[in-house]
Amino acid sequence: MKYIQICLCFFYLNIYSQNVQGKIIYNVVLAEDKLILENKTLKPYYEKAIKLSEKLKYELIFNGQESLFRPTKSMDIDGEDLGLAKVFADCDGEVYVNSKKDLVLYGDNDARKGIVLKKEGILKWNILSDKKVIMGYECYKATVKIIVENHLKKTEHQVIAWYCPEIPISFGPKGYYGLPGLIIELVERNVAFGVKSINLKNDFEFNIKVPDGEIISEKEYNKKSKPSFSN
Amino acid sequence: MKIKTLSVLFVFLFMSTNLLAAKNTLNMKYGGSCLEVAIAAYDASIEIGLSHEQAETIAFKTLRFCYDHYFNQ
């Protein structure tokens, strides 16, 4: 029965999401992270980033099968300082998603000017029956395992998403997509994104563009770029 | 001519002292020069298991943040 409901939800989502455009605003919370705070070098910067994250907001705009997730423009007043919060939230540029093509692109940033990263692999969500009410919406829990690899180690962590089938939009923060409802809350390691406002409209169209720059995969980028800051 | 040279020297010395003081404050607060801090930030980020890409971005931001504070003090 549960699977029939999920299938119906995906079917409805497919028809509904083709016509809906909208803008979702997300707040960010940087939680205290023992690993970072125990590190002498990162500690002062992370503490600063935690404070700055209170001002940090992101917008998710979507139009049919495409979405763009990016920091809101109003934050530019504070410029570089908020940049510290953005990097610790691991999201200081645009994230483009085309759900039909299963394409996720990370726009360029200060560290890799002109390079757009293409994320590889499709997210394999584990849909659970846990539910909770967020902002008056009944939300369901889903998890996905993410593997982060650098030249020293490989770490695996779990990303938790709370999605809302009442809002049949399959997008969410930071390029996470593919659930039968809008992601209202997302927890990725020490970073949590939570919906602040929802604005769904049919009478205007957002112009969503693929980020400018040379598109390369994450693996290619890691191979190409020497660890420029490494000793 | 001598007065002009002396005044330039005085301004230079005054600025150097101020910059040195700012650098010392920064060194005390962040434990090294800005570049050293950025390198350490990169290494620390890698050590705690962040991706190379995020570690690089954190290093760039800490470098800029450090310089901004250095010249604003």
Side-chain angles (χ1 to χ4, degrees):
Chain A
M1 191 62 190
K2 186 187 160 192
Y3 292 105
I4 295 169
Q5 279 177 333
I6 290 168
C7 287
L8 280 172
C9 215
F10 270 111
F11 177 71
Y12 175 57
L13 180 81
N14 202 28
I15 297 165
Y16 181 83
S17 62
Q18 282 174 14
N19 304 315
V20 176
Q21 293 98 48
K23 187 196 268 189
I24 315 292
I25 303 290
Y26 288 90
N27 284 326
V28 186
V29 176
L30 291 181
E32 293 201 352
D33 186 300
K34 216 179 163 189
L35 269 179
I36 301 179
L37 291 172
E38 275 174 1
N39 188 287
K40 263 187 183 178
T41 310
L42 294 177
K43 193 183 173 197
Y45 293 101
Y46 191 65
E47 281 173 342
K48 178 87 182 157
I50 289 176
K51 278 185 191 164
L52 290 168
S53 70
E54 291 165 12
K55 296 178 194 166
L56 192 56
K57 281 177 186 53
Y58 287 89
E59 63 184 16
L60 171 76
I61 55 168
F62 51 88
N63 179 2
Q65 279 141 348
E66 289 175 299
S67 79
L68 205 59
F69 184 73
R70 62 189 173 197
T72 57
K73 277 180 187 166
S74 56
M75 293 191 324
D76 292 343
I77 307 161
D78 286 325
E80 234 4 83
D81 273 356
L82 278 188
L84 210 54
K86 288 184 220 169
V87 294
F88 278 104
D90 193 21
C91 195
D92 64 332
E94 289 182 342
V95 186
Y96 167 88
V97 174
N98 186 319
S99 58
K100 198 177 180 183
K101 294 178 184 170
D102 281 319
L103 179 67
V104 181
L105 299 172
Y106 297 97
D108 74 345
N109 60 24
D110 282 352
R112 47 171 175 81
K113 287 244 184 267
I115 293 175
V116 174
L117 288 188
K118 184 181 169 187
K119 194 173 183 168
E120 283 161 310
I122 297 166
L123 296 168
K124 287 176 185 165
W125 288 105
N126 182 21
I127 293 175
L128 305 164
S129 56
D130 308 32
K131 58 180 177 179
K132 70 173 177 179
V133 176
I134 308 169
M135 285 174 72
Y137 293 104
E138 195 166 73
C139 299
Y140 290 85
K141 191 179 180 181
T143 58
V144 66
K145 275 182 186 168
I146 300 291
I147 294 166
V148 180
E149 203 173 349
N150 63 40
H151 60 270
L152 273 190
K153 57 169 109 169
K154 205 178 193 179
T155 46
E156 190 181 283
H157 57 96
Q158 199 179 51
V159 174
I160 301 167
W162 290 92
Y163 67 95
C164 171
E166 272 177 70
I167 309 166
I169 306 295
S170 67
F171 299 112
K174 267 198 78 186
Y176 286 95
Y177 73 103
L179 284 169
L182 176 74
I183 298 176
I184 299 274
E185 199 177 282
L186 184 100
V187 183
E188 190 191 46
R189 288 176 74 139
N190 53 319
V191 189
F193 295 89
V195 163
K196 185 178 182 275
S197 67
I198 299 170
N199 188 2
L200 305 177
K201 288 192 176 184
N202 288 310
D203 55 350
F204 61 87
E205 207 166 291
F206 289 110
N207 189 16
I208 296 173
K209 285 182 186 170
V210 173
D212 287 332
E214 182 198 351
I215 299 175
I216 61 168
S217 72
E218 268 178 312
K219 268 188 187 172
E220 266 179 279
Y221 177 75
N222 289 341
K223 266 185 202 172
K224 263 187 183 181
S225 74
K226 286 175 190 168
S228 42
F229 277 100
S230 177
N231 279 323
Chain B
M1 187 65 184
K2 272 184 182 173
I3 292 170
K4 202 179 170 184
T5 314
L6 274 173
S7 56
V8 168
L9 199 68
F10 177 75
V11 169
F12 176 75
L13 277 171
F14 179 74
M15 280 176 67
S16 311
T17 320
N18 272 351
L19 275 176
L20 199 68
K23 195 182 174 189
N24 285 340
T25 316
L26 197 79
N27 281 350
M28 281 189 327
K29 196 171 176 185
Y30 295 102
S33 75
C34 289
L35 195 60
E36 282 167 4
V37 170
I39 292 166
Y42 175 87
D43 290 339
S45 304
I46 290 292
E47 241 176 67
I48 63 166
L50 302 183
S51 67
H52 160 66
E53 200 263 325
Q54 191 184 0
E56 206 174 53
T57 319
I58 286 174
F60 267 96
K61 285 289 176 199
T62 49
L63 182 68
R64 188 172 279 184
F65 186 82
C66 183
Y67 275 130
D68 283 350
H69 277 244
Y70 180 84
F71 288 113
N72 287 334
Q73 280 190 45

PDB file of all heavy atoms in Angstrom, chain B residues 57-68:
ATOM      1  N   THR B  57      38.168  26.022  -1.208  1.00  0.00           N
ATOM      2  CA  THR B  57      37.337  27.221  -1.074  1.00  0.00           C
ATOM      3  C   THR B  57      37.476  27.814   0.325  1.00  0.00           C
ATOM      4  O   THR B  57      37.568  29.031   0.484  1.00  0.00           O
ATOM      5  CB  THR B  57      35.852  26.885  -1.352  1.00  0.00           C
ATOM      6  OG1 THR B  57      35.796  26.002  -2.459  1.00  0.00           O
ATOM      7  CG2 THR B  57      35.061  28.118  -1.691  1.00  0.00           C
ATOM      8  N   ILE B  58      37.513  26.950   1.344  1.00  0.00           N
ATOM      9  CA  ILE B  58      37.693  27.440   2.717  1.00  0.00           C
ATOM     10  C   ILE B  58      39.034  28.159   2.844  1.00  0.00           C
ATOM     11  O   ILE B  58      39.136  29.230   3.417  1.00  0.00           O
ATOM     12  CB  ILE B  58      37.574  26.275   3.742  1.00  0.00           C
ATOM     13  CG1 ILE B  58      36.095  25.860   3.877  1.00  0.00           C
ATOM     14  CG2 ILE B  58      38.138  26.667   5.109  1.00  0.00           C
ATOM     15  CD1 ILE B  58      35.849  24.632   4.729  1.00  0.00           C
ATOM     16  N   ALA B  59      40.078  27.569   2.233  1.00  0.00           N
ATOM     17  CA  ALA B  59      41.405  28.190   2.280  1.00  0.00           C
ATOM     18  C   ALA B  59      41.386  29.565   1.624  1.00  0.00           C
ATOM     19  O   ALA B  59      41.933  30.539   2.167  1.00  0.00           O
ATOM     20  CB  ALA B  59      42.425  27.287   1.603  1.00  0.00           C
ATOM     21  N   PHE B  60      40.752  29.681   0.466  1.00  0.00           N
ATOM     22  CA  PHE B  60      40.663  30.971  -0.225  1.00  0.00           C
ATOM     23  C   PHE B  60      39.934  32.003   0.632  1.00  0.00           C
ATOM     24  O   PHE B  60      40.345  33.152   0.715  1.00  0.00           O
ATOM     25  CB  PHE B  60      39.938  30.818  -1.573  1.00  0.00           C
ATOM     26  CG  PHE B  60      40.872  30.573  -2.711  1.00  0.00           C
ATOM     27  CD1 PHE B  60      41.132  29.284  -3.145  1.00  0.00           C
ATOM     28  CD2 PHE B  60      41.514  31.622  -3.362  1.00  0.00           C
ATOM     29  CE1 PHE B  60      42.002  29.034  -4.187  1.00  0.00           C
ATOM     30  CE2 PHE B  60      42.390  31.382  -4.408  1.00  0.00           C
ATOM     31  CZ  PHE B  60      42.641  30.082  -4.833  1.00  0.00           C
ATOM     32  N   LYS B  61      38.847  31.568   1.240  1.00  0.00           N
ATOM     33  CA  LYS B  61      38.047  32.510   2.037  1.00  0.00           C
ATOM     34  C   LYS B  61      38.787  32.934   3.300  1.00  0.00           C
ATOM     35  O   LYS B  61      38.739  34.099   3.676  1.00  0.00           O
ATOM     36  CB  LYS B  61      36.699  31.889   2.420  1.00  0.00           C
ATOM     37  CG  LYS B  61      35.715  31.832   1.283  1.00  0.00           C
ATOM     38  CD  LYS B  61      35.175  33.204   0.889  1.00  0.00           C
ATOM     39  CE  LYS B  61      34.273  33.030  -0.325  1.00  0.00           C
ATOM     40  NZ  LYS B  61      34.044  34.235  -1.072  1.00  0.00           N
ATOM     41  N   THR B  62      39.463  31.983   3.951  1.00  0.00           N
ATOM     42  CA  THR B  62      40.193  32.355   5.169  1.00  0.00           C
ATOM     43  C   THR B  62      41.344  33.300   4.818  1.00  0.00           C
ATOM     44  O   THR B  62      41.620  34.244   5.548  1.00  0.00           O
ATOM     45  CB  THR B  62      40.757  31.122   5.924  1.00  0.00           C
ATOM     46  OG1 THR B  62      41.433  30.292   4.993  1.00  0.00           O
ATOM     47  CG2 THR B  62      39.702  30.337   6.615  1.00  0.00           C
ATOM     48  N   LEU B  63      41.943  33.068   3.659  1.00  0.00           N
ATOM     49  CA  LEU B  63      43.030  33.948   3.204  1.00  0.00           C
ATOM     50  C   LEU B  63      42.500  35.371   3.010  1.00  0.00           C
ATOM     51  O   LEU B  63      43.068  36.333   3.514  1.00  0.00           O
ATOM     52  CB  LEU B  63      43.604  33.409   1.889  1.00  0.00           C
ATOM     53  CG  LEU B  63      44.786  34.179   1.297  1.00  0.00           C
ATOM     54  CD1 LEU B  63      46.020  34.039   2.150  1.00  0.00           C
ATOM     55  CD2 LEU B  63      45.108  33.679  -0.119  1.00  0.00           C
ATOM     56  N   ARG B  64      41.383  35.486   2.321  1.00  0.00           N
ATOM     57  CA  ARG B  64      40.808  36.805   2.062  1.00  0.00           C
ATOM     58  C   ARG B  64      40.335  37.464   3.354  1.00  0.00           C
ATOM     59  O   ARG B  64      40.557  38.644   3.575  1.00  0.00           O
ATOM     60  CB  ARG B  64      39.648  36.682   1.076  1.00  0.00           C
ATOM     61  CG  ARG B  64      39.143  38.036   0.634  1.00  0.00           C
ATOM     62  CD  ARG B  64      38.152  37.928  -0.460  1.00  0.00           C
ATOM     63  NE  ARG B  64      38.781  37.757  -1.749  1.00  0.00           N
ATOM     64  CZ  ARG B  64      38.099  37.710  -2.878  1.00  0.00           C
ATOM     65  NH1 ARG B  64      36.799  37.801  -2.868  1.00  0.00           N
ATOM     66  NH2 ARG B  64      38.713  37.599  -4.032  1.00  0.00           N
ATOM     67  N   PHE B  65      39.704  36.671   4.201  1.00  0.00           N
ATOM     68  CA  PHE B  65      39.199  37.176   5.479  1.00  0.00           C
ATOM     69  C   PHE B  65      40.356  37.713   6.319  1.00  0.00           C
ATOM     70  O   PHE B  65      40.287  38.785   6.894  1.00  0.00           O
ATOM     71  CB  PHE B  65      38.494  36.041   6.213  1.00  0.00           C
ATOM     72  CG  PHE B  65      37.803  36.460   7.468  1.00  0.00           C
ATOM     73  CD1 PHE B  65      36.544  37.036   7.435  1.00  0.00           C
ATOM     74  CD2 PHE B  65      38.415  36.279   8.701  1.00  0.00           C
ATOM     75  CE1 PHE B  65      35.912  37.430   8.603  1.00  0.00           C
ATOM     76  CE2 PHE B  65      37.788  36.668   9.870  1.00  0.00           C
ATOM     77  CZ  PHE B  65      36.542  37.230   9.824  1.00  0.00           C
ATOM     78  N   CYS B  66      41.440  36.953   6.335  1.00  0.00           N
ATOM     79  CA  CYS B  66      42.631  37.313   7.094  1.00  0.00           C
ATOM     80  C   CYS B  66      43.228  38.625   6.556  1.00  0.00           C
ATOM     81  O   CYS B  66      43.518  39.538   7.316  1.00  0.00           O
ATOM     82  CB  CYS B  66      43.635  36.164   6.985  1.00  0.00           C
ATOM     83  SG  CYS B  66      45.138  36.361   7.903  1.00  0.00           S
ATOM     84  N   TYR B  67      43.366  38.723   5.234  1.00  0.00           N
ATOM     85  CA  TYR B  67      43.921  39.940   4.632  1.00  0.00           C
ATOM     86  C   TYR B  67      43.030  41.138   4.895  1.00  0.00           C
ATOM     87  O   TYR B  67      43.514  42.223   5.197  1.00  0.00           O
ATOM     88  CB  TYR B  67      44.124  39.767   3.120  1.00  0.00           C
ATOM     89  CG  TYR B  67      45.440  39.111   2.781  1.00  0.00           C
ATOM     90  CD1 TYR B  67      45.494  38.029   1.910  1.00  0.00           C
ATOM     91  CD2 TYR B  67      46.635  39.575   3.337  1.00  0.00           C
ATOM     92  CE1 TYR B  67      46.697  37.406   1.606  1.00  0.00           C
ATOM     93  CE2 TYR B  67      47.838  38.954   3.043  1.00  0.00           C
ATOM     94  CZ  TYR B  67      47.868  37.878   2.171  1.00  0.00           C
ATOM     95  OH  TYR B  67      49.048  37.264   1.881  1.00  0.00           O
ATOM     96  N   ASP B  68      41.709  40.949   4.778  1.00  0.00           N
ATOM     97  CA  ASP B  68      40.768  42.048   5.024  1.00  0.00           C
ATOM     98  C   ASP B  68      40.971  42.602   6.429  1.00  0.00           C
ATOM     99  O   ASP B  68      40.999  43.805   6.638  1.00  0.00           O
ATOM    100  CB  ASP B  68      39.316  41.572   4.867  1.00  0.00           C
ATOM    101  CG  ASP B  68      38.944  41.434   3.397  1.00  0.00           C
ATOM    102  OD1 ASP B  68      39.739  41.894   2.553  1.00  0.00           O
ATOM    103  OD2 ASP B  68      37.882  40.841   3.106  1.00  0.00           O
TER     104      ASP B  68
END
